[in-house]
Amino acid sequence: MTKTKDAIYAAPLQEMIDFKFDERVVAVFPDMIQRSVPGYGMIISNIGILAGKYAQPGSHCYDLGCSLGAATLAMRQRINQPDCDIIAVDNSPAMIERGRELLARDSGPTVPVTMVCADLQDVAIGNASVVVLNFTLQFIPPAQRLALIERIHAGLNPGGILILSEKIAFDEPERQQFHVELHHDFKRANGYSDLEISQKRSALENVMIPETLACHHERLKAAGFSSSEVWFQCFNFASLVATK
Ligand SMILES: Nc1ncnc2c1ncn2[C@@H]1O[C@H](C[S@+](CC[C@H]([NH3+])C(=O)[O-])CC(=O)[O-])[C@@H](O)[C@H]1O
Ligand SMILES: O=C(O)C(=O)Cc1ccccc1
C-alpha cells in the first residue's frame, strides 16, 4: 500500500486549531505516525509478540484508541488461543471507517475482530487478557486517567497485561530539552520542516498531555497492577507493560 504523505502543517496557518483525528488526518495517518513516533513500527510488531504470549483462551483483547487498527492487526497475526477475540475501539468515525476497510483486506488469521466507534470510557472491559493503550492515554484528560486504569485493571483476568505506550515528559528541564530536541531532529530527518514541527506542536498543546514515567508507574501501582516495566524507550516515547 502506498502511503499518502502528511503535509497538514506544511503551509503557514492563520489560526491554530486544536489537533483532531478527522478525515484529513486519517488520509495521511500511517505516514504521519511513522515519521513522528520513533520506533512506532517496532512497537506495533512487539505488541503482537506480547499478545501472542499473554492472550488467554476464551478471553477478550482490547485495543483502546485503535486508530486504523495497526496494533489490532499485529495482535491478530500472533494470537494462537481458542475462542479469543479482539475489540478495537476509537471515537473518530473517520478512523473506524478506514480501519474497517483495512481490516476487511487482512487475510489469513481467523481471530475475530470487532471495530467499535465509541468513546473508550463508555466501553465495558471484562474477561480481558491483553489491553492495549498505544499512544491513547495521552489524549484522555489527566483527571480521568486513574479511573480508566482502575477500570482496565478490574476488567483484566489474573495474569493479564496492559500495554501502555505514551509520549513522556521529564521533570528536569535539561532532560526534557534533550529528549524534545532529539525528537525534533528525528522528525526533521524524516522530512518535516521546522514550520511543520512547530505548528503541529502548537495544535497538540491543549489536546495531548504527556506525563513522566514516574507518574505512569505510580498510577499503575495505585490502580492495583503488581508490576510495570518499560520494555521500549526512544527519546521521549516509551512503552510499558503492566501485569495484574
Ligand atoms: N476518548 C476516546 N475514546 C476512543 N478513542 C479515543 C479517545 N480519545 C482519543 N482517541 C483515539 O486515540 C487515537 C490516538 S492515536 C493511536 C494510535 C494507534 N493506537 C496505533 O497503534 O496506531 C495516537 C497518536 O496519533 O499519537 C486516535 O485515533 C483518537 O481518535
Ligand atoms: O507528532 C508528534 O509530535 C507527536 O508527538 C506524535 C503524534 C503522532 C500522530 C498524531 C499526534 C501526535
Side-chain angles (χ1 to χ4, degrees):
M1 189 180 63
T2 52
K3 288 201 192 91
T4 308
K5 195 173 174 206
D6 166 27
I8 290 178
Y9 295 101
L13 298 170
Q14 300 299 323
E15 180 198 7
M16 196 46 71
I17 301 163
D18 280 349
F19 188 88
K20 208 169 163 259
F21 291 96
D22 58 13
E23 293 80 359
R24 285 183 75 209
V25 167
V26 169
V28 299
F29 190 71
D31 177 71
M32 170 188 275
I33 196 146
Q34 200 191 318
R35 288 201 288 138
S36 303
V37 175
Y40 175 74
M42 199 174 103
I43 294 169
I44 291 295
S45 24
N46 284 298
I47 287 174
I49 303 285
L50 283 159
K53 184 172 170 67
Y54 286 96
Q56 299 167 353
S59 70
H60 301 300
C61 298
Y62 292 84
D63 182 4
L64 304 176
C66 62
S67 296
L68 300 177
T72 289
L73 296 182
M75 290 199 281
R76 197 185 202 200
Q77 297 292 334
R78 291 277 163 193
I79 293 172
N80 190 15
Q81 294 291 343
D83 303 319
C84 235
D85 69 355
I86 303 174
I87 298 158
V89 181
D90 205 286
N91 66 352
S92 158
M95 281 291 186
I96 291 292
E97 192 184 324
R98 179 77 185 123
R100 284 185 178 142
E101 287 171 14
L102 296 173
L103 179 68
R105 282 197 217 158
D106 185 55
S107 59
T110 53
V111 178
V113 175
T114 312
M115 274 206 175
V116 187
C117 187
D119 190 321
L120 62 85
Q121 302 281 27
D122 299 331
V123 173
I125 298 165
N127 183 24
S129 54
V130 178
V131 178
V132 173
L133 281 170
N134 199 38
F135 302 106
T136 302
L137 190 68
Q138 59 197 10
F139 293 100
I140 302 296
Q144 298 174 20
R145 292 180 189 180
L146 176 59
L148 171 61
I149 301 297
E150 284 174 339
R151 205 162 64 77
I152 291 171
H153 180 267
L156 276 166
N157 296 333
I161 58 163
L162 166 64
I163 303 167
L164 174 64
S165 312
E166 289 276 291
K167 188 175 195 174
I168 53 170
F170 298 83
D171 281 332
E172 303 87 343
E174 317 76 56
R175 290 184 71 205
Q176 174 71 11
Q177 193 186 345
F178 173 82
H179 288 284
V180 168
E181 280 180 11
L182 281 162
H183 177 230
H184 290 172
D185 289 343
F186 168 88
K187 290 184 84 161
R188 236 172 264 120
N190 284 330
Y192 283 118
S193 67
D194 289 341
L195 179 69
E196 286 178 290
I197 293 170
S198 87
Q199 291 195 136
K200 188 176 181 205
R201 191 184 193 183
S202 307
L204 283 169
E205 206 162 350
N206 303 318
V207 180
M208 185 180 89
I209 300 164
E211 296 169 310
T212 63
L213 273 179
C215 179
H216 288 295
H217 284 298
E218 277 162 30
R219 183 187 296 118
L220 290 163
K221 195 173 174 194
F225 283 94
S226 61
S227 73
S228 59
E229 181 72 20
V230 174
W231 64 269
F232 173 89
Q233 188 182 338
C234 181
F235 310 140
N236 46 349
F237 290 81
S239 187
L240 298 84
V241 58
T243 312
K244 176 152 174 177

